[in-house]
Amino acid sequence: MKPIWKSFAHVKDITNPEQYDYMLVLCPDVLHVRHLKYLCSRVGRSIVYYWDGFDHFPAYKDSVKYFDVCYTFDPFDARKYGLKFITNFHFEQAVVQEFENDLFFLSTYDSRYPELERIVSSFERHNMKVSVHQYSADAAMMAAPKSASIHFFDQQIAFDRVNEMLRRSRFVLDLQKRIQRGLTFRVFEAMGYRKKLITTNADIVSYDFYHPNNIFIWREDTVSLPSSFFESPYVDLPDDIFYKYSQENWVKTVFGF
């Protein structure tokens, strides 16, 4: 019953008989089939955007048939399931010149942690200030010896606070999950803030915004970050490329405006 009640909470306020022109759904897996069919019947054009991979959320596959248009951030899923491909997007942000940290990173504690430790160590060898926050309810893990730059927490951190800490960081880190192929929002946050990015997603070289001055790919055999990456200037993207990945262009593309 819990999934049904959870689904009902999302649709209970849509009770008037009015038809809608468009509907965009981001998390179809939280909707019960009955509610999903009801919502789709109320709109002229139903659109879904899958911002996680189908390997990560297998239930996504069951929802494809209910929508008029299906987008995914994962190029592999787009080819495999016949979906439209579109990346995530950036919110253009004012560039800041005063920083609290060289690197700020926040995520849930998971199998990426050993790789995170290696990247943190590389920053520390360059005498850089690092602030890493890992969410975990595991008391033993929270008490285990770790770098002074890594902090564990078990309470929610406000989005505005996270955004401000990211804004006040010189570099952005993107740690790809093993079952993930599409580009995360971290990539586009770096773009919007015009910050350099360190990522473990090697597929990024195939995108038209890739520039080695701006993006360093951390591979399994990488030992350290080169000084040249820190010292070279950030290269601004051409206006047309920067706009291509903007929120405004994403909305226009998805809705067909």
Side-chain angles (χ1 to χ4, degrees):
M1 292 297 293
K2 184 177 179 181
I4 296 178
W5 281 110
K6 183 179 181 182
S7 175
F8 178 70
H10 292 282
V11 301
K12 64 182 177 64
D13 294 327
I14 306 176
T15 57
N16 65 69
E18 182 181 357
Q19 288 289 119
Y20 297 89
D21 296 317
Y22 298 92
M23 175 179 69
L24 174 63
V25 175
L26 301 180
C27 300
D29 54 303
V30 305
L31 295 172
H32 188 270
V33 170
R34 183 175 76 244
H35 297 144
L36 184 55
K37 288 181 177 179
Y38 166 73
L39 291 173
C40 288
S41 72
R42 302 287 303 281
V43 299
R45 187 174 180 84
S46 58
I47 306 165
V48 62
Y49 178 54
Y50 299 107
W51 60 10
D52 264 303
F54 280 44
D55 287 347
H56 195 193
F57 287 94
Y60 278 175
K61 289 180 283 188
D62 298 328
S63 65
V64 170
K65 59 191 174 191
Y66 298 112
F67 294 95
D68 297 318
V69 186
C70 301
Y71 284 94
T72 176
F73 88 124
D74 189 323
F76 178 84
D77 286 343
R79 292 189 297 268
K80 184 175 181 179
Y81 299 105
L83 313 176
K84 292 179 178 290
F85 170 68
I86 189 170
T87 67
N88 288 316
F89 51 85
H90 69 76
F91 302 91
E92 184 174 3
Q93 303 283 352
V95 177
V96 299
Q97 301 298 333
E98 296 180 3
F99 304 104
E100 294 179 4
N101 297 289
D102 292 296
L103 179 69
F104 167 76
F105 181 73
L106 181 146
S107 73
T108 300
Y109 170 76
D110 55 29
S111 60
R112 297 172 293 173
Y113 186 74
E115 198 159 33
L116 174 61
E117 284 189 305
R118 292 194 293 273
I119 295 172
V120 167
S121 294
S122 182
F123 268 85
E124 291 176 336
R125 287 195 295 273
H126 285 278
N127 296 315
M128 292 191 169
K129 186 178 179 182
V130 178
S131 181
V132 168
H133 300 261
Q134 293 279 279
Y135 174 80
S136 175
D138 185 337
M141 188 64 234
M142 295 176 73
K146 62 185 73 68
S147 165
S149 301
I150 300 177
H151 314 279
F152 278 78
F153 67 98
D154 59 2
Q155 301 292 325
Q156 184 177 0
I157 300 177
F159 174 80
D160 289 346
R161 175 57 180 154
V162 173
N163 194 49
E164 181 61 17
M165 288 191 286
L166 181 64
R167 196 167 73 93
R168 294 293 179 181
S169 173
R170 289 181 61 207
F171 300 94
V172 175
L173 174 60
D174 169 53
L175 281 182
Q176 179 189 23
K177 293 182 179 180
R178 297 295 182 185
I179 59 175
Q180 173 194 315
R181 291 167 293 265
L183 301 181
T184 71
F185 268 107
R186 280 286 184 269
V187 172
F188 300 97
E189 287 168 345
M191 185 186 297
Y193 282 121
R194 295 171 177 83
K195 295 179 184 293
K196 291 197 172 192
L197 173 75
I198 298 94
T199 180
T200 57
N201 191 339
D203 290 344
I204 202 168
V205 299
S206 65
Y207 290 81
D208 54 6
F209 62 80
Y210 172 76
H211 194 291
N213 270 44
N214 300 343
I215 301 171
F216 180 83
I217 300 173
W218 182 281
R219 305 178 188 274
E220 289 188 3
D221 60 349
T222 301
V223 177
S224 64
L225 289 153
S227 298
S228 58
F229 179 71
F230 297 121
E231 296 166 358
S232 61
Y234 180 89
V235 177
D236 286 327
L237 299 176
D239 290 343
D240 59 330
I241 298 297
F242 190 76
Y243 178 76
K244 177 181 176 180
Y245 296 98
S246 68
Q247 181 193 31
E248 178 180 326
N249 192 53
W250 189 94
V251 171
K252 288 182 177 179
T253 301
V254 167
F255 285 96
F257 295 159

